[in-house]
Amino acid sequence: METTAWAELCRISRRQSGLFLYAQAAAVGVDQNDLCRKVATGLLERWHRSVYALAGTPDSWERRALAAQLVSRRRAVLSHRSAGYLHRLCDLQRPDSIELVVPRGTRVTARGARIHTSTWLPRTDRSWAEPFLVTSLERTICDLAGVVAASALRRIVYDAWRRGRTTPQAIDSCLAALGRVRGAAPLRQVLREAEPGLVRTRSVAEIDLYCLLHDAGFPPPKVNFELFDAVGVLRYILDLAYPEVRLAIEADSRTFHGIRPDRLADATRQRELEAEGWSFLRVTTDQLRRDPAGVVARVRAELIRLGHPGAQGRCR
């Protein structure tokens, strides 16, 4: 019986980075004396009076994050950068620290974790990223608004939107429910500037380029503009385009233009369209990051050359 119970407990712990609760052990028939014997023989480690770990389980950020939640008996919810990383939001790498949010008035102690308190944390603001309990995607974005730069926040919002994971309206509803919170003003500004064309972008590079043109005051370009042949068959899709003056602006990200076959196909397409009167500007992710003013100047010069009425944008 003990062997069966221990095997079931090991199965549970493997789903939880080698951790388990005393209550989980008791539920499968492993009592306190069994746990104490295994701690004494080195088979288990005791992290907390109610949390145990299988000996030899590698330490990791995920293990420490889950331990903090188990210690709190799931009253604490992973939030801010920790939740953003688990939601796989744009550009958010695994954080060094662990951030948790709890309802105000809740007493929680989790070693090595930063605890945030909130007056508003309903069940709708919580979701599962197994085996973690995290703030919902919309709540996570609202919390991040107070701790990341405005440019990073815009990339997070627009990338989640283009991937169909949320909408500006859903984020705005969550923000309204929270009331006065840190970062509300820049987040509302991002939501106000959300253009319908952004949902058609296919990469973060396209988002950055679109937003750069928007901030410079240029008319919004067509996103993923489709070109058809005489019988209605799709020929090409251009990243951004001003079709009225036949200008294509390509965001050369590694995702879509990084390998040799892609580059060869791009060159073939460009030659064909240039023969039909199209002009091309290619912008790399490095140029977007290091020289945005130079990119704006190139676009302005090309629009002026082609006689576009909105060519000047906002001169800076």
Side-chain angles (χ1 to χ4, degrees):
M1 177 65 181
E2 181 181 347
T3 302
T4 304
W6 177 247
E8 178 63 17
L9 188 57
C10 288
R11 187 182 66 81
I12 293 171
S13 67
R14 280 195 293 270
R15 297 199 309 265
Q16 300 178 161
S17 301
L19 303 169
F20 62 88
L21 287 164
Y22 169 70
Q24 292 175 315
V28 299
V30 178
D31 62 24
Q32 185 69 54
N33 292 333
D34 294 331
L35 296 175
C36 289
R37 283 196 298 271
K38 286 180 170 55
V39 170
T41 57
L43 292 175
L44 290 180
E45 300 171 2
R46 191 170 186 177
W47 278 50
H48 184 262
R49 67 170 181 262
S50 61
V51 180
Y52 294 82
L54 297 179
T57 306
D59 185 34
S60 65
W61 181 89
E62 287 79 5
R63 189 189 196 206
R64 286 180 274 115
L66 185 57
Q69 280 207 300
L70 293 177
V71 166
S72 74
R73 299 182 183 181
R74 301 284 190 185
R75 288 177 295 174
V77 183
L78 286 164
S79 66
H80 295 74
R81 290 185 179 88
S82 296
Y85 167 69
L86 292 170
H87 279 301
R88 301 292 186 262
L89 291 177
C90 177
D91 291 346
L92 287 183
Q93 305 300 316
R94 181 165 54 195
D96 295 327
S97 61
I98 296 161
E99 293 182 272
L100 301 163
V101 63
V102 298
R104 187 158 294 167
T106 303
R107 184 179 179 85
V108 168
T109 301
R111 184 177 58 192
R114 181 181 179 186
I115 308 295
H116 302 270
T117 60
S118 175
T119 56
W120 178 257
L121 190 61
R123 290 188 181 276
T124 53
D125 278 6
R126 311 178 191 198
S127 63
W128 283 97
E130 291 289 354
F132 304 99
L133 181 62
V134 301
T135 49
S136 67
L137 184 63
E138 291 77 16
R139 175 62 186 266
T140 300
I141 290 173
C142 291
D143 289 338
L144 286 171
V147 298
V148 302
S151 58
L153 180 63
R154 183 165 60 179
R155 287 162 65 93
I156 288 169
V157 171
Y158 294 166
D159 186 57
W161 184 25
R162 77 171 179 87
R163 288 157 61 190
R165 301 186 61 193
T166 187
T167 64
Q169 293 76 21
I171 298 170
D172 188 56
S173 295
C174 182
L175 187 60
L178 285 171
R180 295 181 62 184
V181 293
R182 184 183 174 193
L187 179 54
R188 287 196 175 97
Q189 180 67 22
V190 168
L191 298 176
R192 280 196 299 269
E193 293 176 353
E195 296 281 349
L198 285 164
V199 79
R200 289 175 54 84
T201 55
R202 295 178 296 174
S203 69
V204 176
E206 289 180 15
I207 290 175
D208 289 343
L209 182 52
Y210 186 99
C211 291
L212 180 63
L213 299 180
H214 172 275
D215 291 346
F218 294 120
K222 302 293 183 183
V223 179
N224 287 301
F225 182 70
E226 298 176 335
L227 284 172
F228 298 88
D229 64 16
V231 295
V233 176
L234 179 64
R235 294 174 63 201
Y236 299 119
I237 299 177
L238 304 176
D239 291 348
L240 303 176
Y242 291 98
E244 58 273 24
V245 292
R246 295 200 169 193
L247 173 62
I249 307 174
E250 295 285 276
D252 285 348
S253 66
R254 292 180 181 177
T255 302
F256 291 98
H257 306 269
I259 61 176
R260 189 167 183 270
D262 289 340
R263 292 195 298 271
L264 291 174
D266 288 342
T268 300
R269 175 180 63 173
Q270 182 168 336
R271 284 195 301 270
E272 291 182 2
L273 293 180
E274 283 177 338
E276 298 174 13
W278 281 83
S279 300
F280 274 77
L281 283 180
R282 293 197 170 274
V283 181
T284 67
T285 52
D286 189 62
Q287 290 168 338
L288 280 169
R289 183 174 64 254
R290 296 179 182 274
D291 188 24
V295 173
V296 170
R298 288 172 58 201
V299 173
R300 178 178 292 116
E302 194 65 16
L303 288 175
I304 290 173
R305 184 183 72 82
L306 295 171
H308 194 288
Q312 290 298 330
R314 287 194 297 269
C315 296
R316 296 180 177 182

